[in-house]
Amino acid sequence: MKIHFNQGKLVAIIAILFFICCKDRDKKSLNGIITVNGSLAHATNESSYVVFNRFFDNDPENYFFMYDSVPVNDYKFNLSFEVQGTGIISIHPNDIVPKIYLICDRDGDIGLSVKRNSNNTYTVNFKGKNAEGQTLFFESSLFRVNELSEIIQNEVTKNKMTSENMIQRIEQVQDSLFHPFDELLKTDRITSSFYDIAKKQAEIKILSAVDHVTSHSNRYSNGNLIDQGAFNEVLIHYFNKYDPFSDHYKYIDMVARTVNAEAKCRLISKGVLRGNLNDLGIWDKRLDFNNYAPPKIQEKIKAIKIMFNRSFQLNPLCDDKKEFLKFKEVFPNSGYNDLFFNTYFSGVDCSGAQGDTIAQYPLIAFEENDSPKTTYYKQNSLDSLLAKEFNGKYVFVDLWATWCAPCIKEFSYVAMLHQLLDDMGVEMLYVSVDAISAEENWKKAILKHRLFGQNFLTTNSILDNLKNILGENEEVAIPRYMLFDGNGVLLDGNLPRPSTDKLKTRLQELLHENEKSKEKDI
């Protein structure tokens, strides 16, 4: 049998085959092996590990907490993995290494050396094709939301401003902080793909800082009348400009993206932004605002919450397994299903589980040169604790959690803080919102960070009590610092951080004003 080809058809077939081959070749060329290697001058023993939060396959969108760890041998570590495109991973903080975000570009490996300084800060030096960009990514305030929020706050809350004025000031901050990346790109000291991810990460951090400042504008008013309508217009502008629901941001740090996605959902639920309900049946009443996110974003938010809860043991195990089974039912094809099961829930029998039945909350008195002493309270209430344990005394309250990186960072200043409070005659109370199931980790953190004074493990169930005390309806963020007088009356519910010079001045003002008020009453 003879087969006759039409010449035109033959050319078309060859063209199609060529296109398929090229497409497949291009797809393969996007994949690369990235190696992260480092030296840790202060690693103390061979049991030290470096832990990575990273994508669990070669897709930078698929992120997993503490996905793998590598041992430190002879003060060095090395990890190689496959990546398609460019994305962000992070090194999880521990005793030998700080939190380090890395932009992984398939065009270049990453080398770093870490040295811990005498004041418990770290110096990190980078090597590789994008070394100067990695240094800037690690050091710039643009990627540290707390620092960035303070910069923006100082720009937009000094005087009354229109929304246009505020947006102009914020853009000036953003352009100024991002300008060094522009210079690195112009002089070919970073790759264009590195620059692209850094720019997107900067945008999402600006959005997060804007949300923080506008959501807490009443705290920063400095006596001026803040126009909430103008702030809402700023929020609308930035959530439209840097929409966290958009696939434009799918390869940035997944935690940052989902935090902003939840913030957008809250604003939709309040009527500030527009949006549509996508009720998948996976959120309880406390988090039902997340139903405003698209299904794909809800999958990411829920995955992060399950990972977060299990990594820091915030919930009873069987409660989290119920959430996982619900997740698996709604997202049967999710890449997280097998990982969740194998990492957290394999062999876990919850058929007879009743949940967390512990109803007592530990209070640990910890003083230097003394063994910690523990008592338990049935009532989870800050005002009742102040009345019983601190009657007649000024009390400085530090609201924190073992999983809160900014909280832990502030503990580098505990010695100075304790001396300051001692000099002023103020008692110290640390209030942790960790879960009861994390009690052992909480106790270890108290000893590790030398948190002298009283330490109360309350769980996040105390937040409703705190909202009443603070007179706020918004979510109570941590770290948070408060001062109470001897009658348990709140003097300031949002003090400056111990790392700032402003705390001492503010405490002196409050104590002076309160003592003068007492004299008038007499």
Side-chain angles (χ1 to χ4, degrees), residues 245 260-269 289-290 292-293 301:
F245 291 175
N260 282 351
E262 286 198 275
K264 179 176 179 177
C265 290
R266 288 191 192 95
L267 291 171
I268 295 172
S269 71
F289 54 83
N290 284 324
Y292 286 103
I301 296 173

Side-chain angles (χ1 to χ4, degrees), residues 327-341:
F327 176 90
K328 188 174 181 180
E329 181 181 346
V330 175
F331 304 109
N333 299 318
S334 174
Y336 288 97
N337 288 331
D338 289 340
L339 271 173
F340 282 155
F341 181 77

Side-chain angles (χ1 to χ4, degrees), residues 145 200-212 238-239 242-245 249 252-268 273 289-290 293 297 301:
V145 171
K200 291 173 182 175
Q201 186 78 356
E203 291 169 354
I204 216 76
K205 292 295 184 180
I206 284 286
L207 180 62
S208 189
V210 167
D211 176 61
H212 178 80
Y238 277 100
F239 273 92
Y242 303 140
D243 183 3
F245 291 175
Y249 296 105
I252 65 159
D253 168 34
M254 181 176 159
V255 177
R257 185 191 184 193
T258 56
V259 165
N260 282 351
E262 286 198 275
K264 179 176 179 177
C265 290
R266 288 191 192 95
L267 291 171
I268 295 172
L273 299 175
F289 54 83
N290 284 324
I297 299 296
I301 296 173

